[in-house]
PDB file of all heavy atoms in Angstrom:
ATOM      1  N   LEU E1196     100.765  92.339 115.527  1.00  0.00           N
ATOM      2  CA  LEU E1196     100.233  91.406 114.559  1.00  0.00           C
ATOM      3  C   LEU E1196     100.705  91.799 113.111  1.00  0.00           C
ATOM      4  O   LEU E1196     101.093  90.960 112.296  1.00  0.00           O
ATOM      5  CB  LEU E1196      98.738  91.330 114.619  1.00  0.00           C
ATOM      6  CG  LEU E1196      98.185  90.573 115.858  1.00  0.00           C
ATOM      7  CD1 LEU E1196      96.687  90.821 115.905  1.00  0.00           C
ATOM      8  CD2 LEU E1196      98.521  89.128 115.921  1.00  0.00           C
ATOM      9  N   LYS E1197     100.672  93.131 112.859  1.00  0.00           N
ATOM     10  CA  LYS E1197     101.115  93.674 111.553  1.00  0.00           C
ATOM     11  C   LYS E1197     102.591  93.365 111.338  1.00  0.00           C
ATOM     12  O   LYS E1197     103.031  92.992 110.244  1.00  0.00           O
ATOM     13  CB  LYS E1197     100.794  95.097 111.462  1.00  0.00           C
ATOM     14  CG  LYS E1197     101.169  95.686 110.093  1.00  0.00           C
ATOM     15  CD  LYS E1197     100.830  97.157 109.909  1.00  0.00           C
ATOM     16  CE  LYS E1197     101.202  97.690 108.530  1.00  0.00           C
ATOM     17  NZ  LYS E1197     101.075  99.104 108.414  1.00  0.00           N
ATOM     18  N   LYS E1198     103.359  93.513 112.380  1.00  0.00           N
ATOM     19  CA  LYS E1198     104.836  93.236 112.376  1.00  0.00           C
ATOM     20  C   LYS E1198     105.039  91.812 111.964  1.00  0.00           C
ATOM     21  O   LYS E1198     106.031  91.480 111.382  1.00  0.00           O
ATOM     22  CB  LYS E1198     105.454  93.559 113.697  1.00  0.00           C
ATOM     23  CG  LYS E1198     106.939  93.306 113.818  1.00  0.00           C
ATOM     24  CD  LYS E1198     107.456  93.701 115.181  1.00  0.00           C
ATOM     25  CE  LYS E1198     109.011  93.409 115.284  1.00  0.00           C
ATOM     26  NZ  LYS E1198     109.459  93.719 116.656  1.00  0.00           N
ATOM     27  N   ARG E1199     104.091  90.835 112.349  1.00  0.00           N
ATOM     28  CA  ARG E1199     104.252  89.459 111.993  1.00  0.00           C
ATOM     29  C   ARG E1199     103.867  89.133 110.514  1.00  0.00           C
ATOM     30  O   ARG E1199     103.811  88.039 110.075  1.00  0.00           O
ATOM     31  CB  ARG E1199     103.417  88.564 112.883  1.00  0.00           C
ATOM     32  CG  ARG E1199     103.997  88.541 114.309  1.00  0.00           C
ATOM     33  CD  ARG E1199     103.087  87.801 115.278  1.00  0.00           C
ATOM     34  NE  ARG E1199     103.799  87.535 116.590  1.00  0.00           N
ATOM     35  CZ  ARG E1199     104.189  86.372 117.057  1.00  0.00           C
ATOM     36  NH1 ARG E1199     103.936  85.297 116.365  1.00  0.00           N
ATOM     37  NH2 ARG E1199     104.782  86.374 118.183  1.00  0.00           N
ATOM     38  N   GLY E1200     103.422  90.242 109.854  1.00  0.00           N
ATOM     39  CA  GLY E1200     103.080  90.009 108.413  1.00  0.00           C
ATOM     40  C   GLY E1200     101.593  89.798 108.164  1.00  0.00           C
ATOM     41  O   GLY E1200     101.177  89.560 107.054  1.00  0.00           O
ATOM     42  N   LEU E1201     100.753  89.950 109.256  1.00  0.00           N
ATOM     43  CA  LEU E1201      99.292  89.745 109.067  1.00  0.00           C
ATOM     44  C   LEU E1201      98.612  90.996 108.572  1.00  0.00           C
ATOM     45  O   LEU E1201      99.009  92.077 108.980  1.00  0.00           O
ATOM     46  CB  LEU E1201      98.678  89.277 110.409  1.00  0.00           C
ATOM     47  CG  LEU E1201      99.163  87.908 110.907  1.00  0.00           C
ATOM     48  CD1 LEU E1201      98.506  87.661 112.279  1.00  0.00           C
ATOM     49  CD2 LEU E1201      98.796  86.758 109.981  1.00  0.00           C
ATOM     50  N   VAL E1202      97.618  90.843 107.776  1.00  0.00           N
ATOM     51  CA  VAL E1202      96.764  91.939 107.374  1.00  0.00           C
ATOM     52  C   VAL E1202      95.688  92.081 108.489  1.00  0.00           C
ATOM     53  O   VAL E1202      94.821  91.270 108.603  1.00  0.00           O
ATOM     54  CB  VAL E1202      96.192  91.725 106.030  1.00  0.00           C
ATOM     55  CG1 VAL E1202      95.187  92.971 105.616  1.00  0.00           C
ATOM     56  CG2 VAL E1202      97.241  91.484 104.918  1.00  0.00           C
ATOM     57  N   VAL E1203      95.788  93.203 109.168  1.00  0.00           N
ATOM     58  CA  VAL E1203      94.925  93.405 110.401  1.00  0.00           C
ATOM     59  C   VAL E1203      93.809  94.435 110.030  1.00  0.00           C
ATOM     60  O   VAL E1203      94.090  95.544 109.581  1.00  0.00           O
ATOM     61  CB  VAL E1203      95.772  93.934 111.613  1.00  0.00           C
ATOM     62  CG1 VAL E1203      94.833  94.087 112.816  1.00  0.00           C
ATOM     63  CG2 VAL E1203      96.885  92.971 111.915  1.00  0.00           C
ATOM     64  N   GLN E1204      92.556  93.974 110.222  1.00  0.00           N
ATOM     65  CA  GLN E1204      91.442  94.854 110.036  1.00  0.00           C
ATOM     66  C   GLN E1204      90.927  95.327 111.356  1.00  0.00           C
ATOM     67  O   GLN E1204      90.552  94.563 112.191  1.00  0.00           O
ATOM     68  CB  GLN E1204      90.261  94.182 109.280  1.00  0.00           C
ATOM     69  CG  GLN E1204      88.970  95.068 109.206  1.00  0.00           C
ATOM     70  CD  GLN E1204      89.254  96.386 108.498  1.00  0.00           C
ATOM     71  OE1 GLN E1204      89.903  96.423 107.484  1.00  0.00           O
ATOM     72  NE2 GLN E1204      88.692  97.495 109.096  1.00  0.00           N
ATOM     73  N   PRO E1205      91.021  96.638 111.630  1.00  0.00           N
ATOM     74  CA  PRO E1205      90.716  97.170 112.950  1.00  0.00           C
ATOM     75  C   PRO E1205      89.224  97.652 112.970  1.00  0.00           C
ATOM     76  O   PRO E1205      88.590  98.073 111.962  1.00  0.00           O
ATOM     77  CB  PRO E1205      91.585  98.454 113.117  1.00  0.00           C
ATOM     78  CG  PRO E1205      91.805  98.897 111.619  1.00  0.00           C
ATOM     79  CD  PRO E1205      91.696  97.653 110.775  1.00  0.00           C
ATOM     80  N   TYR E1206      88.656  97.519 114.185  1.00  0.00           N
ATOM     81  CA  TYR E1206      87.301  97.979 114.442  1.00  0.00           C
ATOM     82  C   TYR E1206      87.219  98.691 115.806  1.00  0.00           C
ATOM     83  O   TYR E1206      88.030  98.373 116.713  1.00  0.00           O
ATOM     84  CB  TYR E1206      86.259  96.841 114.433  1.00  0.00           C
ATOM     85  CG  TYR E1206      86.093  96.184 113.120  1.00  0.00           C
ATOM     86  CD1 TYR E1206      86.829  95.069 112.774  1.00  0.00           C
ATOM     87  CD2 TYR E1206      85.164  96.663 112.108  1.00  0.00           C
ATOM     88  CE1 TYR E1206      86.686  94.328 111.532  1.00  0.00           C
ATOM     89  CE2 TYR E1206      85.042  95.935 110.948  1.00  0.00           C
ATOM     90  CZ  TYR E1206      85.791  94.916 110.625  1.00  0.00           C
ATOM     91  OH  TYR E1206      85.591  94.201 109.474  1.00  0.00           O
ATOM     92  N   LYS E1207      86.218  99.544 115.893  1.00  0.00           N
ATOM     93  CA  LYS E1207      85.907 100.178 117.239  1.00  0.00           C
ATOM     94  C   LYS E1207      84.500 100.096 117.569  1.00  0.00           C
ATOM     95  O   LYS E1207      83.682 100.464 116.791  1.00  0.00           O
ATOM     96  CB  LYS E1207      86.422 101.675 117.170  1.00  0.00           C
ATOM     97  CG  LYS E1207      85.939 102.410 118.434  1.00  0.00           C
ATOM     98  CD  LYS E1207      86.603 102.002 119.691  1.00  0.00           C
ATOM     99  CE  LYS E1207      86.188 102.909 120.803  1.00  0.00           C
ATOM    100  NZ  LYS E1207      86.877 102.513 122.178  1.00  0.00           N
ATOM    101  N   ILE E1208      84.157  99.544 118.669  1.00  0.00           N
ATOM    102  CA  ILE E1208      82.727  99.474 119.148  1.00  0.00           C
ATOM    103  C   ILE E1208      82.430 100.864 119.618  1.00  0.00           C
ATOM    104  O   ILE E1208      83.066 101.495 120.380  1.00  0.00           O
ATOM    105  CB  ILE E1208      82.650  98.419 120.221  1.00  0.00           C
ATOM    106  CG1 ILE E1208      82.842  96.973 119.667  1.00  0.00           C
ATOM    107  CG2 ILE E1208      81.244  98.461 120.902  1.00  0.00           C
ATOM    108  CD1 ILE E1208      82.914  95.911 120.669  1.00  0.00           C
ATOM    109  N   GLY E1209      81.227 101.290 119.230  1.00  0.00           N
ATOM    110  CA  GLY E1209      80.648 102.505 119.681  1.00  0.00           C
ATOM    111  C   GLY E1209      80.860 103.617 118.579  1.00  0.00           C
ATOM    112  O   GLY E1209      81.445 103.362 117.495  1.00  0.00           O
ATOM    113  N   PRO E1210      80.442 104.838 118.867  1.00  0.00           N
ATOM    114  CA  PRO E1210      80.483 105.940 117.974  1.00  0.00           C
ATOM    115  C   PRO E1210      81.681 106.715 117.854  1.00  0.00           C
ATOM    116  O   PRO E1210      81.729 107.804 117.209  1.00  0.00           O
ATOM    117  CB  PRO E1210      79.262 106.793 118.459  1.00  0.00           C
ATOM    118  CG  PRO E1210      79.319 106.678 119.916  1.00  0.00           C
ATOM    119  CD  PRO E1210      79.793 105.234 120.202  1.00  0.00           C
ATOM    120  N   ASP E1211      82.739 106.366 118.584  1.00  0.00           N
ATOM    121  CA  ASP E1211      83.976 107.182 118.652  1.00  0.00           C
ATOM    122  C   ASP E1211      84.681 107.379 117.300  1.00  0.00           C
ATOM    123  O   ASP E1211      84.710 106.459 116.509  1.00  0.00           O
ATOM    124  CB  ASP E1211      84.930 106.421 119.657  1.00  0.00           C
ATOM    125  CG  ASP E1211      86.298 107.170 119.771  1.00  0.00           C
ATOM    126  OD1 ASP E1211      86.191 108.365 120.031  1.00  0.00           O
ATOM    127  OD2 ASP E1211      87.261 106.547 119.583  1.00  0.00           O
ATOM    128  N   PHE E1212      85.252 108.584 117.096  1.00  0.00           N
ATOM    129  CA  PHE E1212      86.027 108.816 115.916  1.00  0.00           C
ATOM    130  C   PHE E1212      87.550 108.727 116.183  1.00  0.00           C
ATOM    131  O   PHE E1212      88.250 108.592 115.173  1.00  0.00           O
ATOM    132  CB  PHE E1212      85.701 110.294 115.399  1.00  0.00           C
ATOM    133  CG  PHE E1212      84.238 110.488 114.972  1.00  0.00           C
ATOM    134  CD1 PHE E1212      83.368 111.044 115.693  1.00  0.00           C
ATOM    135  CD2 PHE E1212      83.927 110.023 113.688  1.00  0.00           C
ATOM    136  CE1 PHE E1212      82.035 111.265 115.260  1.00  0.00           C
ATOM    137  CE2 PHE E1212      82.565 110.205 113.185  1.00  0.00           C
ATOM    138  CZ  PHE E1212      81.662 110.829 114.005  1.00  0.00           C
ATOM    139  N   ILE E1213      87.966 108.935 117.327  1.00  0.00           N
ATOM    140  CA  ILE E1213      89.415 109.194 117.552  1.00  0.00           C
ATOM    141  C   ILE E1213      90.171 107.915 117.587  1.00  0.00           C
ATOM    142  O   ILE E1213      91.220 107.816 116.956  1.00  0.00           O
ATOM    143  CB  ILE E1213      89.609 109.964 118.869  1.00  0.00           C
ATOM    144  CG1 ILE E1213      88.834 111.301 118.799  1.00  0.00           C
ATOM    145  CG2 ILE E1213      91.045 110.250 119.161  1.00  0.00           C
ATOM    146  CD1 ILE E1213      88.855 112.131 120.020  1.00  0.00           C
ATOM    147  N   ASP E1214      89.704 106.945 118.385  1.00  0.00           N
ATOM    148  CA  ASP E1214      90.416 105.589 118.424  1.00  0.00           C
ATOM    149  C   ASP E1214      90.558 105.075 117.040  1.00  0.00           C
ATOM    150  O   ASP E1214      91.629 104.576 116.728  1.00  0.00           O
ATOM    151  CB  ASP E1214      89.720 104.656 119.284  1.00  0.00           C
ATOM    152  CG  ASP E1214      89.979 104.953 120.793  1.00  0.00           C
ATOM    153  OD1 ASP E1214      90.913 105.577 121.129  1.00  0.00           O
ATOM    154  OD2 ASP E1214      89.105 104.542 121.688  1.00  0.00           O
ATOM    155  N   PRO E1215      89.528 105.053 116.187  1.00  0.00           N
ATOM    156  CA  PRO E1215      89.685 104.562 114.841  1.00  0.00           C
ATOM    157  C   PRO E1215      90.779 105.159 114.034  1.00  0.00           C
ATOM    158  O   PRO E1215      91.392 104.508 113.177  1.00  0.00           O
ATOM    159  CB  PRO E1215      88.306 104.772 114.177  1.00  0.00           C
ATOM    160  CG  PRO E1215      87.318 104.759 115.382  1.00  0.00           C
ATOM    161  CD  PRO E1215      88.028 105.438 116.470  1.00  0.00           C
ATOM    162  N   SER E1216      91.076 106.454 114.222  1.00  0.00           N
ATOM    163  CA  SER E1216      92.159 107.131 113.494  1.00  0.00           C
ATOM    164  C   SER E1216      93.467 106.581 113.881  1.00  0.00           C
ATOM    165  O   SER E1216      94.355 106.431 112.966  1.00  0.00           O
ATOM    166  CB  SER E1216      92.048 108.684 113.773  1.00  0.00           C
ATOM    167  OG  SER E1216      92.570 108.943 115.112  1.00  0.00           O
ATOM    168  N   HIS E1217      93.650 106.127 115.095  1.00  0.00           N
ATOM    169  CA  HIS E1217      94.897 105.513 115.540  1.00  0.00           C
ATOM    170  C   HIS E1217      94.935 104.052 114.877  1.00  0.00           C
ATOM    171  O   HIS E1217      96.031 103.665 114.416  1.00  0.00           O
ATOM    172  CB  HIS E1217      94.930 105.476 117.056  1.00  0.00           C
ATOM    173  CG  HIS E1217      95.139 106.754 117.719  1.00  0.00           C
ATOM    174  ND1 HIS E1217      96.408 107.303 117.878  1.00  0.00           N
ATOM    175  CD2 HIS E1217      94.295 107.704 118.101  1.00  0.00           C
ATOM    176  CE1 HIS E1217      96.299 108.462 118.413  1.00  0.00           C
ATOM    177  NE2 HIS E1217      94.971 108.746 118.597  1.00  0.00           N
ATOM    178  N   HIS E1218      93.855 103.367 114.891  1.00  0.00           N
ATOM    179  CA  HIS E1218      93.872 102.014 114.307  1.00  0.00           C
ATOM    180  C   HIS E1218      94.217 102.120 112.886  1.00  0.00           C
ATOM    181  O   HIS E1218      95.074 101.311 112.371  1.00  0.00           O
ATOM    182  CB  HIS E1218      92.432 101.391 114.406  1.00  0.00           C
ATOM    183  CG  HIS E1218      91.858 101.227 115.771  1.00  0.00           C
ATOM    184  ND1 HIS E1218      90.547 100.914 116.031  1.00  0.00           N
ATOM    185  CD2 HIS E1218      92.404 101.393 116.993  1.00  0.00           C
ATOM    186  CE1 HIS E1218      90.326 100.823 117.277  1.00  0.00           C
ATOM    187  NE2 HIS E1218      91.476 101.109 117.953  1.00  0.00           N
ATOM    188  N   THR E1219      93.656 103.091 112.122  1.00  0.00           N
ATOM    189  CA  THR E1219      93.943 103.221 110.710  1.00  0.00           C
ATOM    190  C   THR E1219      95.388 103.472 110.428  1.00  0.00           C
ATOM    191  O   THR E1219      95.980 102.954 109.501  1.00  0.00           O
ATOM    192  CB  THR E1219      93.112 104.347 110.123  1.00  0.00           C
ATOM    193  OG1 THR E1219      91.643 104.012 110.318  1.00  0.00           O
ATOM    194  CG2 THR E1219      93.337 104.616 108.666  1.00  0.00           C
TER     195      THR E1219
END
C-alpha cells in the first residue's frame, strides 16, 4: 500500500511491542 503512494497508519491489537516496531 505504501508503494502505491498511500499514507498507511499501522496498528497492533494487544500489548505486543515487537510487531509494532516492524510496522513503524
Side-chain angles (χ1 to χ4, degrees):
L1196 292 170
K1197 185 180 180 185
K1198 182 179 175 182
R1199 287 174 174 250
L1201 295 176
V1202 178
V1203 182
Q1204 175 56 45
Y1206 295 92
K1207 171 66 179 180
I1208 293 174
D1211 177 53
F1212 293 102
I1213 301 174
D1214 286 337
S1216 74
H1217 291 271
H1218 300 171
T1219 299

